[in-house]
Amino acid sequence: MLKKILSISGKPGLYRLISYGKGIIIVENVTDNKRMPAYTRDKIIALGDIAIYTDDTEVPLADVLTTIAEKYNSQVLDTKLYKSAAQLQQFFEEVLPNYDHDRVYNTDIKKIISWYNTLISAGITDFSIKSEEESAKQENE
């Protein structure tokens, strides 16, 4: 599911990929379902392509979001609880104990919390990363 959820630099929120065009993609905001074009000049990244640094390897964002959902029963997180750097780091240590403190910044943790809240609010709770072929096979069955 996260392969079709996009973050677009300079635009708030998360977007669902709708279709491709020449030098353009059509995206839909996951919260208000408004469609808009995104251009090749925009920095666009699928959440399924993001990984979090740990001390020994990288963990896919999908695994981190799944851990947060399991720990907090797929409920929206109260962002007021994570204002200070110490609170953010404590939260992330509970979610991913061996994350690399030098390469994962507090702004990254805030962004992950924001993305998680946006996805949960939009009713997206399946954070698995499936290839398009696997998704197509399951839809045809």
Side-chain angles (χ1 to χ4, degrees):
M1 182 64 173
L2 290 184
K3 284 285 188 184
K4 296 202 179 234
I5 303 295
L6 309 172
S7 173
I8 302 173
S9 180
K11 299 189 187 308
L14 294 173
Y15 300 86
R16 184 178 291 113
L17 174 64
I18 301 298
S19 67
Y20 296 97
K22 186 175 181 177
I24 191 172
I25 62 172
I26 304 300
V27 296
E28 179 179 77
N29 190 307
V30 297
T31 54
D32 62 11
N33 297 327
K34 290 185 179 179
R35 292 187 179 187
M36 62 181 237
Y39 301 95
T40 54
R41 68 178 180 268
D42 297 327
K43 183 179 177 188
I44 302 170
I45 188 162
L47 296 190
D49 295 337
I50 297 173
I52 307 301
Y53 294 114
T54 63
D55 293 332
D56 52 344
T57 185
E58 295 178 356
V59 175
L61 178 63
D63 294 349
V64 174
L65 293 174
T66 300
T67 303
I68 295 171
E70 289 170 357
K71 184 169 177 55
Y72 294 96
N73 298 321
S74 296
Q75 298 296 315
V76 173
L77 299 175
D78 184 4
T79 56
K80 293 177 187 173
L81 299 176
Y82 311 109
K83 291 287 186 189
S84 72
Q87 292 168 325
L88 288 168
Q89 292 168 0
Q90 180 182 2
F91 164 78
F92 214 62
E93 284 174 359
E94 292 173 6
V95 173
L96 189 62
N98 63 335
Y99 83 95
D100 189 338
H101 295 272
D102 295 330
R103 297 195 292 178
V104 178
Y105 302 108
N106 292 334
T107 54
D108 299 329
I109 298 170
K110 284 182 183 179
K111 189 175 289 188
I112 290 169
I113 291 171
S114 172
W115 286 344
Y116 171 80
N117 283 342
T118 301
L119 292 169
I120 293 296
S121 296
I124 301 171
T125 57
D126 176 18
F127 303 121
S128 62
I129 300 175
K130 298 177 185 174
S131 68
E132 290 183 18
E133 294 102 24
E134 290 174 6
S135 297
K137 286 180 186 176
Q138 288 181 352
E139 289 174 6
N140 292 333
E141 292 176 355

Coordinates of all heavy atoms in Angstrom, one line a residue, residues 11-99:
K11 N 4.8 20.5 -0.4 CA 3.4 20.4 -0.3 C 3.1 19.6 1.0 O 3.6 18.6 1.2 CB 2.8 19.7 -1.5 CG 3.0 20.4 -2.8 CD 2.3 19.8 -3.9 CE 2.6 20.3 -5.3 NZ 2.6 21.8 -5.4
P12 N 2.2 20.2 1.8 CA 1.8 19.5 3.0 C 1.0 18.2 2.8 O 0.3 18.1 1.8 CB 1.0 20.5 3.8 CG 0.4 21.4 2.7 CD 1.4 21.4 1.6
G13 N 1.1 17.3 3.7 CA 0.3 16.1 3.6 C 0.9 15.0 2.8 O 2.0 15.0 2.3
L14 N 0.1 14.0 2.6 CA 0.4 12.8 1.8 C -0.6 12.7 0.7 O -1.7 13.1 0.8 CB 0.4 11.5 2.7 CG 1.4 11.5 3.8 CD1 1.2 10.2 4.7 CD2 2.8 11.4 3.2
Y15 N -0.1 12.0 -0.4 CA -0.9 11.9 -1.6 C -0.9 10.5 -2.1 O 0.1 9.8 -2.0 CB -0.3 12.8 -2.7 CG -0.4 14.3 -2.2 CD1 0.7 14.8 -1.5 CD2 -1.4 15.1 -2.5 CE1 0.7 16.1 -1.1 CE2 -1.5 16.4 -2.1 CZ -0.4 16.9 -1.4 OH -0.5 18.2 -0.9
R16 N -2.1 10.1 -2.7 CA -2.2 8.8 -3.3 C -2.0 8.9 -4.8 O -2.5 9.9 -5.4 CB -3.6 8.3 -3.0 CG -3.9 6.9 -3.5 CD -5.3 6.4 -3.2 NE -5.5 6.3 -1.7 CZ -6.2 7.0 -0.9 NH1 -6.9 8.0 -1.4 NH2 -6.3 6.7 0.4
L17 N -1.2 8.1 -5.4 CA -0.9 8.1 -6.8 C -2.2 7.6 -7.5 O -2.7 6.6 -7.3 CB 0.2 7.2 -7.1 CG 0.5 6.9 -8.6 CD1 1.0 8.3 -9.2 CD2 1.6 5.9 -8.8
I18 N -2.7 8.4 -8.5 CA -3.8 8.1 -9.3 C -3.5 7.6 -10.7 O -3.9 6.6 -11.1 CB -4.8 9.3 -9.4 CG1 -5.2 9.8 -8.0 CG2 -6.0 9.0 -10.2 CD1 -6.0 8.7 -7.2
S19 N -2.7 8.5 -11.4 CA -2.3 8.0 -12.8 C -1.0 8.8 -13.2 O -0.7 9.8 -12.6 CB -3.4 8.3 -13.8 OG -3.7 9.6 -13.9
Y20 N -0.5 8.3 -14.3 CA 0.7 8.9 -14.9 C 0.4 9.6 -16.1 O -0.5 9.2 -16.8 CB 1.8 7.8 -15.2 CG 2.3 7.0 -14.1 CD1 1.8 5.8 -13.7 CD2 3.4 7.5 -13.3 CE1 2.3 5.0 -12.7 CE2 3.9 6.8 -12.3 CZ 3.4 5.5 -12.0 OH 3.9 4.8 -10.9
G21 N 1.2 10.6 -16.4 CA 1.1 11.3 -17.7 C 2.5 11.6 -18.2 O 3.4 11.2 -17.6
K22 N 2.6 12.4 -19.3 CA 3.9 12.7 -19.8 C 4.5 13.9 -19.0 O 4.0 15.0 -19.0 CB 3.8 13.1 -21.2 CG 5.1 13.4 -21.9 CD 5.0 13.6 -23.4 CE 6.4 13.8 -23.9 NZ 6.3 14.0 -25.4
G23 N 5.5 13.6 -18.1 CA 6.1 14.6 -17.3 C 5.2 15.1 -16.1 O 5.5 16.1 -15.5
I24 N 4.2 14.3 -15.8 CA 3.2 14.7 -14.8 C 2.6 13.5 -14.2 O 2.5 12.4 -14.8 CB 2.1 15.6 -15.4 CG1 1.3 16.3 -14.3 CG2 1.3 14.9 -16.3 CD1 0.3 17.3 -14.9
I25 N 2.2 13.5 -12.9 CA 1.4 12.5 -12.3 C 0.2 13.2 -11.7 O 0.3 14.3 -11.2 CB 2.2 11.6 -11.3 CG1 2.7 12.4 -10.1 CG2 3.3 10.9 -12.0 CD1 3.3 11.6 -9.0
I26 N -0.9 12.4 -11.6 CA -2.1 12.9 -10.9 C -2.1 12.3 -9.6 O -2.0 11.1 -9.4 CB -3.3 12.6 -11.7 CG1 -3.3 13.1 -13.1 CG2 -4.6 13.1 -11.0 CD1 -3.1 14.6 -13.3
V27 N -2.2 13.1 -8.5 CA -2.2 12.6 -7.2 C -3.5 13.1 -6.5 O -4.1 14.1 -6.9 CB -1.0 13.1 -6.4 CG1 0.3 12.5 -6.9 CG2 -0.9 14.6 -6.3
E28 N -3.9 12.4 -5.4 CA -5.0 12.7 -4.6 C -4.6 12.8 -3.2 O -4.0 11.9 -2.6 CB -6.1 11.7 -4.8 CG -7.4 11.9 -4.1 CD -8.3 10.7 -4.3 OE1 -8.2 9.6 -3.8 OE2 -9.3 10.9 -5.1
N29 N -5.0 13.9 -2.5 CA -4.7 14.1 -1.1 C -5.4 13.1 -0.3 O -6.6 12.8 -0.5 CB -5.1 15.5 -0.7 CG -4.6 15.9 0.7 OD1 -4.8 15.1 1.7 ND2 -3.9 17.0 0.8
V30 N -4.7 12.4 0.6 CA -5.4 11.3 1.3 C -6.4 11.8 2.4 O -7.3 11.0 2.8 CB -4.3 10.3 2.0 CG1 -3.5 9.7 1.0 CG2 -3.5 11.1 3.0
T31 N -6.3 13.0 2.8 CA -7.2 13.5 3.8 C -8.5 14.1 3.2 O -9.6 13.9 3.7 CB -6.6 14.5 4.7 OG1 -6.0 15.6 3.9 CG2 -5.5 13.9 5.6
D32 N -8.4 14.9 2.1 CA -9.6 15.6 1.6 C -9.9 15.1 0.2 O -10.9 15.6 -0.4 CB -9.4 17.1 1.6 CG -8.3 17.6 0.8 OD1 -7.7 16.8 0.0 OD2 -7.9 18.8 0.9
N33 N -9.2 14.1 -0.4 CA -9.5 13.5 -1.7 C -9.5 14.5 -2.8 O -10.1 14.2 -3.9 CB -10.8 12.7 -1.6 CG -10.7 11.6 -0.7 OD1 -9.7 11.0 -0.5 ND2 -11.8 11.3 0.0
K34 N -8.8 15.6 -2.7 CA -8.7 16.6 -3.8 C -7.6 16.2 -4.7 O -6.5 15.8 -4.3 CB -8.5 18.0 -3.3 CG -9.6 18.6 -2.6 CD -9.4 20.0 -2.2 CE -10.6 20.6 -1.6 NZ -10.4 22.0 -1.2
R35 N -7.8 16.2 -6.0 CA -6.8 15.8 -7.0 C -6.1 17.0 -7.5 O -6.6 18.1 -7.6 CB -7.5 15.0 -8.1 CG -8.0 13.7 -7.7 CD -8.5 12.9 -8.8 NE -9.0 11.6 -8.3 CZ -9.3 10.6 -9.1 NH1 -9.3 10.7 -10.4 NH2 -9.7 9.5 -8.5
M36 N -4.8 16.7 -7.9 CA -4.0 17.8 -8.4 C -2.8 17.2 -9.2 O -2.5 16.0 -9.0 CB -3.4 18.7 -7.3 CG -2.6 18.0 -6.3 SD -2.0 19.1 -5.0 CE -0.2 18.9 -5.2
P37 N -2.2 18.0 -10.0 CA -1.0 17.4 -10.8 C 0.2 17.6 -9.9 O 0.4 18.5 -9.1 CB -1.0 18.3 -12.0 CG -1.6 19.6 -11.6 CD -2.6 19.3 -10.6
A38 N 1.2 16.7 -10.1 CA 2.5 16.8 -9.6 C 3.5 16.7 -10.8 O 3.3 15.8 -11.6 CB 2.8 15.8 -8.5
Y39 N 4.5 17.5 -10.8 CA 5.3 17.6 -11.9 C 6.7 16.9 -11.7 O 7.0 16.7 -10.5 CB 5.6 19.0 -12.3 CG 4.3 19.7 -12.7 CD1 3.6 20.5 -11.7 CD2 3.7 19.6 -13.9 CE1 2.4 21.1 -12.0 CE2 2.5 20.2 -14.2 CZ 1.8 20.9 -13.3 OH 0.7 21.6 -13.5
T40 N 7.4 16.5 -12.7 CA 8.6 15.8 -12.6 C 9.7 16.7 -11.9 O 10.6 16.1 -11.3 CB 9.2 15.4 -14.0 OG1 9.3 16.6 -14.8 CG2 8.3 14.4 -14.6
R41 N 9.5 18.0 -11.9 CA 10.5 18.9 -11.1 C 10.3 18.8 -9.6 O 11.2 19.2 -8.9 CB 10.3 20.3 -11.6 CG 9.0 21.0 -11.2 CD 9.0 22.4 -11.7 NE 7.7 23.0 -11.3 CZ 6.7 23.1 -12.0 NH1 6.7 22.5 -13.2 NH2 5.6 23.7 -11.6
D42 N 9.1 18.3 -9.2 CA 8.8 18.2 -7.7 C 9.6 17.0 -7.2 O 9.8 16.0 -7.9 CB 7.4 18.0 -7.5 CG 6.5 19.2 -7.9 OD1 7.0 20.3 -7.8 OD2 5.4 18.9 -8.3
K43 N 10.1 17.1 -6.0 CA 10.7 16.0 -5.3 C 9.6 15.1 -4.8 O 9.0 15.4 -3.8 CB 11.7 16.4 -4.3 CG 12.4 15.3 -3.6 CD 13.4 15.8 -2.6 CE 14.1 14.6 -1.9 NZ 14.9 15.0 -0.8
I44 N 9.4 13.9 -5.4 CA 8.3 13.0 -5.0 C 9.0 11.7 -4.6 O 9.8 11.2 -5.2 CB 7.4 12.8 -6.2 CG1 6.8 14.1 -6.7 CG2 6.3 11.8 -5.8 CD1 6.0 14.0 -8.0
I45 N 8.5 11.2 -3.4 CA 9.0 9.9 -2.9 C 7.9 9.1 -2.4 O 7.0 9.6 -1.7 CB 10.1 10.1 -1.9 CG1 10.8 8.8 -1.5 CG2 9.6 10.8 -0.6 CD1 12.1 8.9 -0.9
A46 N 7.9 7.8 -2.7 CA 6.9 6.9 -2.2 C 7.3 6.5 -0.8 O 8.5 6.2 -0.5 CB 6.8 5.7 -3.1
L47 N 6.3 6.4 0.1 CA 6.7 6.0 1.5 C 7.2 4.6 1.5 O 8.0 4.3 2.4 CB 5.4 6.1 2.4 CG 4.8 7.5 2.6 CD1 3.8 7.5 3.7 CD2 5.9 8.5 2.9
G48 N 6.9 3.8 0.6 CA 7.4 2.4 0.5 C 8.9 2.4 0.2 O 9.5 1.3 0.4
D49 N 9.4 3.5 -0.3 CA 10.9 3.5 -0.6 C 11.7 4.1 0.5 O 12.9 4.1 0.4 CB 11.1 4.4 -1.9 CG 10.5 3.8 -3.1 OD1 10.2 2.5 -3.1 OD2 10.2 4.5 -4.1
I50 N 11.1 4.5 1.6 CA 11.8 5.1 2.7 C 12.2 4.0 3.7 O 11.5 3.1 4.0 CB 11.0 6.2 3.4 CG1 10.7 7.3 2.4 CG2 11.7 6.7 4.6 CD1 9.7 8.3 2.9
A51 N 13.4 4.1 4.2 CA 13.9 3.2 5.3 C 14.6 4.1 6.4 O 15.0 5.2 6.2 CB 15.0 2.3 4.7
I52 N 14.6 3.5 7.6 CA 15.1 4.2 8.8 C 16.4 3.5 9.1 O 16.5 2.3 9.2 CB 14.1 4.1 10.0 CG1 12.7 4.6 9.6 CG2 14.6 4.9 11.2 CD1 12.6 6.0 9.1
Y53 N 17.4 4.4 9.4 CA 18.7 3.8 9.8 C 18.7 3.2 11.2 O 18.1 3.8 12.1 CB 19.8 5.0 9.8 CG 20.1 5.6 8.4 CD1 19.7 6.9 8.1 CD2 20.7 4.8 7.4 CE1 20.0 7.4 6.9 CE2 21.0 5.4 6.2 CZ 20.6 6.7 5.9 OH 20.9 7.2 4.7
T54 N 19.3 2.1 11.3 CA 19.6 1.5 12.6 C 21.1 1.3 12.7 O 21.8 1.6 11.8 CB 18.8 0.1 12.7 OG1 19.4 -0.8 11.8 CG2 17.3 0.3 12.6
D55 N 21.5 0.8 13.9 CA 22.9 0.6 14.2 C 23.6 -0.4 13.2 O 24.7 -0.3 12.9 CB 23.1 0.1 15.6 CG 22.7 1.2 16.6 OD1 22.8 2.4 16.2 OD2 22.4 0.9 17.7
D56 N 22.8 -1.3 12.7 CA 23.4 -2.4 11.8 C 22.9 -2.4 10.4 O 23.5 -2.9 9.5 CB 23.3 -3.7 12.5 CG 21.9 -4.1 12.9 OD1 21.1 -3.2 13.0 OD2 21.7 -5.3 13.2
T57 N 21.7 -1.9 10.2 CA 21.0 -2.0 8.9 C 20.0 -0.9 8.7 O 20.0 0.0 9.5 CB 20.4 -3.4 8.7 OG1 19.9 -3.5 7.4 CG2 19.3 -3.7 9.7
E58 N 19.1 -1.1 7.7 CA 18.0 -0.1 7.6 C 16.7 -0.9 7.7 O 16.6 -2.0 7.2 CB 18.1 0.5 6.2 CG 19.3 1.4 6.0 CD 19.4 2.0 4.6 OE1 18.5 1.7 3.7 OE2 20.3 2.8 4.4
V59 N 15.7 -0.3 8.3 CA 14.4 -0.9 8.5 C 13.4 -0.1 7.6 O 13.4 1.1 7.7 CB 14.0 -0.8 10.0 CG1 12.6 -1.3 10.2 CG2 15.0 -1.6 10.9
P60 N 12.6 -0.8 6.8 CA 11.6 -0.1 6.0 C 10.6 0.7 6.9 O 10.3 0.2 8.0 CB 10.9 -1.3 5.3 CG 11.8 -2.4 5.3 CD 12.6 -2.3 6.6
L61 N 10.2 1.8 6.3 CA 9.3 2.6 7.0 C 8.0 1.9 7.3 O 7.4 2.1 8.4 CB 8.9 3.9 6.2 CG 7.9 4.9 6.8 CD1 8.4 5.4 8.1 CD2 7.6 6.0 5.8
A62 N 7.6 1.0 6.4 CA 6.4 0.2 6.7 C 6.5 -0.6 8.0 O 5.5 -0.7 8.7 CB 6.2 -0.8 5.5
D63 N 7.6 -1.2 8.3 CA 7.8 -1.9 9.5 C 7.7 -1.0 10.7 O 7.1 -1.4 11.7 CB 9.2 -2.6 9.5 CG 9.3 -3.7 8.5 OD1 8.2 -4.1 7.9 OD2 10.4 -4.2 8.2
V64 N 8.2 0.2 10.6 CA 8.2 1.1 11.7 C 6.7 1.6 12.0 O 6.2 1.6 13.1 CB 9.1 2.4 11.5 CG1 8.9 3.4 12.5 CG2 10.5 1.9 11.4
L65 N 6.0 1.9 10.9 CA 4.6 2.3 11.0 C 3.7 1.1 11.6 O 2.8 1.3 12.4 CB 4.0 2.7 9.7 CG 4.6 4.0 9.1 CD1 4.1 4.3 7.7 CD2 4.4 5.2 10.0
T66 N 4.0 -0.1 11.1 CA 3.3 -1.3 11.7 C 3.6 -1.4 13.1 O 2.6 -1.7 13.9 CB 3.7 -2.5 10.9 OG1 3.4 -2.4 9.5 CG2 3.0 -3.8 11.4
T67 N 4.8 -1.2 13.6 CA 5.1 -1.3 15.0 C 4.4 -0.3 15.8 O 3.8 -0.6 16.9 CB 6.7 -1.2 15.2 OG1 7.3 -2.2 14.5 CG2 7.0 -1.3 16.7
I68 N 4.3 1.0 15.3 CA 3.6 2.0 16.0 C 2.1 1.7 16.1 O 1.5 1.8 17.1 CB 3.8 3.4 15.2 CG1 5.3 3.8 15.3 CG2 2.9 4.5 15.9 CD1 5.6 5.0 14.4
A69 N 1.6 1.2 15.0 CA 0.1 0.8 15.0 C -0.2 -0.3 16.0 O -1.2 -0.2 16.7 CB -0.3 0.4 13.6
E70 N 0.7 -1.3 16.1 CA 0.5 -2.4 17.0 C 0.6 -1.9 18.4 O -0.2 -2.2 19.3 CB 1.5 -3.5 16.8 CG 1.3 -4.3 15.5 CD 2.4 -5.2 15.1 OE1 3.4 -5.2 15.8 OE2 2.3 -5.9 14.1
K71 N 1.6 -1.0 18.7 CA 1.8 -0.5 20.0 C 0.7 0.4 20.5 O 0.3 0.4 21.7 CB 3.2 0.2 20.1 CG 3.6 0.7 21.4 CD 5.0 1.2 21.4 CE 5.4 1.8 22.7 NZ 5.3 0.9 23.9
Y72 N 0.2 1.2 19.6 CA -0.9 2.2 20.0 C -2.3 1.8 19.4 O -3.1 2.7 19.3 CB -0.4 3.6 19.5 CG 0.8 4.1 20.2 CD1 2.1 3.9 19.7 CD2 0.7 4.6 21.5 CE1 3.2 4.3 20.4 CE2 1.8 5.1 22.2 CZ 3.0 4.9 21.6 OH 4.2 5.3 22.3
N73 N -2.5 0.5 19.1 CA -3.8 0.0 18.7 C -4.4 0.8 17.5 O -5.6 1.1 17.5 CB -4.8 0.0 19.9 CG -4.3 -0.9 21.0 OD1 -3.8 -2.0 20.7 ND2 -4.5 -0.5 22.2
S74 N -3.5 1.2 16.6 CA -4.0 1.9 15.4 C -4.8 3.2 15.7 O -5.7 3.6 15.0 CB -4.8 1.0 14.4 OG -4.0 0.0 14.0
Q75 N -4.4 3.8 16.8 CA -5.0 5.1 17.2 C -4.1 6.3 16.8 O -2.9 6.1 16.8 CB -5.2 5.1 18.7 CG -6.1 4.0 19.2 CD -7.6 4.2 18.7 OE1 -8.1 5.3 18.7 NE2 -8.1 3.1 18.2
V76 N -4.7 7.4 16.6 CA -3.9 8.6 16.3 C -3.1 9.0 17.5 O -3.6 9.0 18.6 CB -4.9 9.8 15.8 CG1 -4.2 11.1 15.7 CG2 -5.6 9.4 14.6
L77 N -1.9 9.4 17.3 CA -1.0 9.8 18.4 C -1.3 11.3 18.8 O -1.5 12.1 17.9 CB 0.5 9.6 18.0 CG 0.9 8.2 17.6 CD1 2.3 8.2 17.1 CD2 0.8 7.3 18.8
D78 N -1.2 11.6 20.0 CA -1.3 12.9 20.5 C 0.0 13.6 20.3 O 1.0 13.3 21.1 CB -1.8 12.9 22.0 CG -2.0 14.3 22.5 OD1 -1.9 15.3 21.7 OD2 -2.3 14.5 23.7
T79 N 0.1 14.5 19.4 CA 1.4 15.2 19.1 C 1.9 16.1 20.2 O 3.1 16.4 20.3 CB 1.4 16.0 17.8 OG1 0.3 16.9 17.9 CG2 1.2 15.1 16.6
K80 N 1.0 16.5 21.1 CA 1.4 17.3 22.3 C 2.3 16.6 23.2 O 3.0 17.2 24.0 CB 0.1 17.8 23.0 CG -0.8 18.7 22.2 CD -2.0 19.0 23.0 CE -2.9 19.9 22.1 NZ -4.2 20.1 22.8
L81 N 2.3 15.2 23.2 CA 3.1 14.4 24.1 C 4.6 14.3 23.6 O 5.4 13.9 24.3 CB 2.6 13.0 24.2 CG 1.2 12.9 24.8 CD1 0.7 11.4 24.7 CD2 1.1 13.4 26.2
Y82 N 4.8 14.8 22.3 CA 6.1 14.7 21.7 C 6.6 16.0 21.3 O 6.9 16.2 20.1 CB 6.1 13.7 20.6 CG 5.4 12.4 20.9 CD1 4.1 12.1 20.4 CD2 6.0 11.5 21.8 CE1 3.5 10.9 20.8 CE2 5.3 10.3 22.2 CZ 4.1 10.0 21.7 OH 3.5 8.9 22.0
K83 N 6.8 16.9 22.2 CA 7.2 18.3 21.8 C 8.8 18.4 22.0 O 9.4 19.0 21.1 CB 6.5 19.3 22.7 CG 5.1 19.5 22.4 CD 4.9 20.2 21.1 CE 3.4 20.5 20.9 NZ 3.1 21.0 19.6
S84 N 9.3 17.9 23.0 CA 10.7 18.1 23.3 C 11.6 17.0 22.6 O 11.0 15.9 22.2 CB 11.0 18.0 24.8 OG 10.9 16.7 25.3
A85 N 12.8 17.2 22.4 CA 13.7 16.3 21.8 C 13.8 15.0 22.6 O 13.8 13.9 22.0 CB 15.1 16.9 21.7
A86 N 13.8 15.1 23.9 CA 13.9 13.9 24.8 C 12.6 13.0 24.6 O 12.7 11.8 24.6 CB 14.0 14.3 26.2
Q87 N 11.4 13.7 24.5 CA 10.2 12.9 24.3 C 10.2 12.2 23.0 O 9.7 11.1 22.9 CB 9.0 13.9 24.5 CG 8.8 14.4 25.9 CD 7.8 15.6 25.9 OE1 7.7 16.4 24.9 NE2 7.0 15.7 27.0
L88 N 10.6 12.9 21.9 CA 10.7 12.3 20.6 C 11.6 11.1 20.6 O 11.3 10.0 20.1 CB 11.1 13.3 19.6 CG 10.1 14.4 19.2 CD1 10.8 15.5 18.4 CD2 9.0 13.8 18.4
Q89 N 12.8 11.2 21.2 CA 13.7 10.2 21.2 C 13.3 9.0 22.1 O 13.4 7.8 21.7 CB 15.1 10.7 21.7 CG 15.8 11.6 20.7 CD 16.9 12.3 21.3 OE1 17.3 12.2 22.5 NE2 17.5 13.2 20.5
Q90 N 12.6 9.3 23.2 CA 12.1 8.2 24.0 C 11.0 7.4 23.2 O 10.9 6.2 23.3 CB 11.5 8.8 25.3 CG 10.9 7.7 26.2 CD 10.3 8.3 27.5 OE1 10.3 9.5 27.6 NE2 9.8 7.4 28.3
F91 N 10.1 8.1 22.6 CA 9.1 7.5 21.8 C 9.7 6.6 20.7 O 9.3 5.4 20.6 CB 8.2 8.6 21.1 CG 7.4 8.0 19.9 CD1 6.2 7.3 20.2 CD2 7.8 8.2 18.6 CE1 5.4 6.8 19.1 CE2 7.0 7.8 17.6 CZ 5.8 7.1 17.8
F92 N 10.7 7.1 20.0 CA 11.3 6.3 18.9 C 12.1 5.1 19.4 O 12.2 4.1 18.7 CB 12.1 7.2 18.0 CG 12.0 6.8 16.5 CD1 10.8 6.8 15.9 CD2 13.1 6.4 15.8 CE1 10.7 6.4 14.6 CE2 13.0 6.0 14.5 CZ 11.8 6.0 13.9
E93 N 12.7 5.3 20.6 CA 13.4 4.1 21.2 C 12.4 3.0 21.5 O 12.8 1.8 21.5 CB 14.2 4.6 22.4 CG 15.4 5.4 22.1 CD 16.2 5.9 23.3 OE1 15.7 5.8 24.4 OE2 17.2 6.6 23.1
E94 N 11.2 3.4 21.9 CA 10.2 2.3 22.2 C 9.8 1.6 20.9 O 9.5 0.4 21.0 CB 9.0 3.0 22.9 CG 9.3 3.5 24.3 CD 8.2 4.2 24.9 OE1 7.1 4.3 24.3 OE2 8.3 4.8 26.0
V95 N 9.7 2.4 19.8 CA 9.3 1.8 18.6 C 10.4 1.1 17.9 O 10.2 0.0 17.3 CB 8.7 3.0 17.7 CG1 8.4 2.4 16.3 CG2 7.5 3.6 18.3
L96 N 11.6 1.6 17.8 CA 12.7 1.1 17.1 C 13.9 1.2 18.0 O 14.7 2.2 17.8 CB 12.9 1.8 15.8 CG 13.9 1.2 14.8 CD1 13.5 -0.3 14.4 CD2 14.0 2.0 13.6
P97 N 14.2 0.3 18.9 CA 15.2 0.5 20.0 C 16.6 0.7 19.4 O 17.4 1.5 20.0 CB 15.1 -0.8 20.8 CG 13.8 -1.4 20.5 CD 13.4 -0.9 19.1
N98 N 16.9 0.1 18.3 CA 18.3 0.2 17.8 C 18.5 1.2 16.7 O 19.4 1.1 15.9 CB 18.8 -1.1 17.4 CG 18.0 -1.7 16.2 OD1 16.9 -1.3 16.0 ND2 18.7 -2.6 15.5
Y99 N 17.6 2.3 16.6 CA 17.8 3.3 15.6 C 19.0 4.1 15.8 O 19.5 4.2 16.9 CB 16.5 4.2 15.5 CG 16.5 5.3 16.4 CD1 16.9 6.6 16.1 CD2 16.0 5.2 17.7 CE1 16.9 7.7 16.9 CE2 15.9 6.3 18.6 CZ 16.4 7.5 18.2 OH 16.3 8.6 19.0

